[in-house]
Amino acid sequence: MAALELLTAVRTRDAYANLALSAILRRYRLHDRDAALATELGYGTLRAQGLLDAVIEECTDRPMSRVEPGLLDALRLGAYQLLRTRIPSHAAVATTVELVRAEAGSRAGGFVNAVLRRVGERDEPGWVAALAPPADEDPVGHSAFAHSHPRWIAQAFADALGRSADPAAELDTALAADDARPAVHLLARPGEITAAELALVTGGEEAPYSPYGVHLPSGSGDIGDIDAVGEGLAIVQDEGSQLVALALTRVPLVGDDAGRWLDLCSGPGGKAALLGGLVAMDGGTLDAIEPSEHRAGLVRRATDGLPVTVHQADGREAPLPDAAFDRVLVDAPCTGLGALRRRPEARWRRQPSDVAGLTALQRQLLTAALRHVRPGGVVAYVTCSPHLAETAGVLATVRRAHPKVEQLDAREYLPGVPDLGDGPTVQLWPHRHGTDAMFLALLRREE
Ligand SMILES: C[S@@+](CC[C@H](N)C(=O)[O-])C[C@H]1O[C@@H](n2cnc3c(N)ncnc32)[C@H](O)[C@@H]1O
């Protein structure tokens, strides 16, 4: 029931699944295993929507557009259980039909029963073999279908993966990893708790690459229940986000680091919390920009007690001096294609037409960062998207207009992280690094 409510909230209110889920779990008072099951069913169904819809369409004799949306949610939830969980088929069908009968009457229940019985005639590989484009003719389309990604996103991943010994196989692995349930990653706030201590109190494991990271076992239920987060010792933050922010702090500057750091796109404040904690140790300060009032409030909360000043402003015309900052982070607003595994509904909401508007904004923000950084200082350009237009494309255009900017080899500032390609930029990947697909470029202003 909780999972079905989540699907309805995402469809009708355009809700973010993670926010809606927390509220639903609280309302049903679900904890531990029950919360983990509702999360798995709700998130799993949202992720798999494209694949499920193709199968459901094959199993109904009416067009999808004529299936009542509430029934379609129930069909998706039932089909998900049949194809992607170990819940016995008869139980998956019976509980879904029962739910629909109670809500919409016995005719609707009969329809759902008939469709789900047909869905259950094949397993997931059987449906992929029957319905996906053939792998030898259209490898991108085949992998997109099999791992339930829109084709344009699969193509963007393929483009960003670029050269590889076996591009089709690597794309398949990349999309499979992007479709899997990710472990929750925590940041041990610098100065508050060490990663080793945090691992101990949460039952997690120290992260492989970030000295501040902890990975929780997957299926940990509602993250609102983690005491260390509630007590302000840790925040939820992907290890890749930690690594790109840390890389910015590790680059040697020309001249002293006076500890004036700037986060130009800071909401909701995860990286500002990390940067603020680190700059505080050296007696420095961080200015954090965020135009949205709500998100600026979240940054204030995330950086409470740290030497961080939050400005509610547009990063393109921030009320801050030029040539004044030692280190500037541009964690640009982007399509988020690199963090889809953490936002189960996002892959079906994003459109290719979103890219052009975002790249224009990204170019302007990076240009503003190069204005605010002092000569000899460094700018990190970061996106949680591997889409080439948002990464290499933005970088190339801005660098053409700024010949006095040196591009640094970002790989040097991620010590111990394997498989970083040819540089000088870094693209992290879920299937290679167990992180979100974060992109990082490091630029030094020469004069
Ligand atoms: C990828 S998020 C940043 C995430 C953040 N650094 C963190 O680690 O929590 C991008 C942020 O940029 C903000 N943003 C959008 N337009 C902006 C602009 N013109 N100037 C500055 N920030 C902007 C968005 O509201 C969003 O909060």
Side-chain angles (χ1 to χ4, degrees):
M1 190 65 209
L4 190 58
E5 242 181 69
L6 177 66
L7 304 189
T8 310
V10 168
R11 175 172 52 76
T12 57
R13 293 193 274 115
D14 237 9
Y16 289 117
N18 55 347
L19 301 183
L21 181 73
S22 285
I24 291 169
L25 294 180
R26 270 200 305 277
R27 189 145 37 76
Y28 282 91
R29 296 175 199 279
L30 296 181
H31 294 283
D32 306 325
R33 283 180 57 190
D34 293 337
L37 179 65
T39 306
E40 154 65 12
L41 294 183
Y43 279 11
T45 305
L46 288 169
R47 260 191 219 109
Q49 188 172 304
L51 173 79
L52 299 174
D53 284 2
V55 173
I56 291 167
E57 184 149 37
E58 193 65 15
C59 297
T60 45
D61 33 24
R62 52 177 108 155
M64 291 284 272
S65 56
R66 290 196 36 225
V67 178
E68 198 268 312
L71 281 190
L72 183 55
D73 286 340
L75 283 172
R76 287 170 174 159
L77 186 59
Y80 178 74
Q81 294 175 64
L82 288 169
L83 300 182
R84 285 196 166 183
T85 71
R86 286 201 293 261
I87 296 172
S89 305
H90 61 88
V93 176
T95 47
T96 313
V97 169
E98 212 173 289
L99 262 177
V100 170
R101 270 215 182 104
E103 294 284 314
S106 57
R107 255 190 84 183
F111 169 69
V112 167
N113 186 38
V115 175
L116 289 183
R117 282 187 186 286
R118 289 191 62 195
V119 171
E121 284 168 8
R122 290 187 171 132
D123 60 7
E124 186 184 359
W127 281 116
V128 170
L131 300 178
D136 49 349
E137 285 171 26
D138 178 7
V140 174
H142 182 86
S143 290
F145 187 98
H147 303 298
S148 199
H149 279 67
R151 196 183 196 294
W152 75 276
I153 293 180
Q155 187 62 57
F157 275 40
D159 296 343
L161 283 165
R163 282 182 293 124
S164 135
D166 185 346
E170 181 159 22
L171 175 64
D172 204 67
T173 312
L175 293 177
D178 200 49
D179 204 30
R181 207 168 20 148
V184 171
H185 296 179
L186 299 180
L187 170 82
R189 280 174 176 273
E192 297 289 342
I193 190 170
T194 65
E197 289 162 348
L198 182 62
L200 205 64
V201 297
T202 55
E205 281 185 4
E206 286 182 64
Y209 312 121
S210 164
Y212 300 96
V214 166
H215 291 193
L216 298 183
S218 55
S220 299
D222 188 7
I223 49 180
D225 290 344
I226 302 168
D227 290 342
V229 173
E231 290 160 13
L233 300 173
I235 60 174
V236 175
Q237 185 176 62
D238 181 76
E239 189 180 1
S241 288
Q242 300 175 29
L243 290 172
V244 293
L246 286 170
L248 172 65
T249 70
R250 289 170 175 155
V251 182
L253 304 182
V254 176
D256 289 342
D257 186 345
R260 279 201 82 180
W261 297 3
L262 170 62
D263 181 349
L264 204 58
C265 312
S266 61
K271 295 182 194 69
L274 174 53
L275 294 175
L278 292 174
V279 83
M281 291 177 176
D282 292 330
T285 58
L286 176 75
D287 284 279
I289 307 287
E290 171 57 48
S292 139
E293 183 180 355
H294 171 67
R295 290 168 82 85
L298 295 177
V299 182
R300 285 195 186 94
R301 190 134 46 102
T303 57
D304 191 29
L306 295 172
V308 176
T309 309
V310 181
H311 311 262
Q312 192 194 332
D314 187 320
R316 292 168 291 184
E317 35 198 56
L320 292 170
D322 289 349
F325 291 90
D326 299 295
R327 300 178 196 272
V328 181
L329 173 66
V330 186
D331 187 16
C334 70
T335 54
L337 298 194
L340 295 175
R341 61 190 196 136
R342 301 206 180 272
R343 301 188 192 124
E345 78 290 2
R347 67 182 81 169
W348 307 111
R349 281 203 182 143
R350 276 290 174 204
Q351 299 299 324
S353 54
D354 297 338
V355 175
L358 285 164
T359 54
L361 178 57
Q362 290 157 354
R363 286 193 295 272
Q364 292 162 353
L365 286 165
L366 178 54
T367 302
L370 290 169
R371 213 172 51 237
H372 289 298
V373 74
R374 68 162 172 83
V378 59
V379 171
Y381 176 70
V382 168
T383 60
C384 60
S385 168
H387 195 299
L388 288 178
E390 300 182 86
T391 60
V394 167
L395 204 58
T397 312
V398 174
R399 287 197 63 216
R400 265 198 301 277
H402 293 81
K404 298 285 186 198
V405 165
E406 179 196 1
Q407 178 154 13
L408 306 174
D409 189 341
R411 295 172 302 175
E412 288 177 22
Y413 305 101
L414 297 176
V417 183
D419 228 349
L420 292 177
D422 300 333
T425 58
V426 159
Q427 179 61 64
L428 299 172
W429 288 102
H431 67 292
R432 289 189 194 162
H433 308 104
T435 63
D436 290 348
M438 306 292 299
F439 172 85
L440 168 68
L442 292 171
L443 302 173
R444 189 199 304 284
R445 177 168 162 180
E446 289 178 343
E447 62 182 56

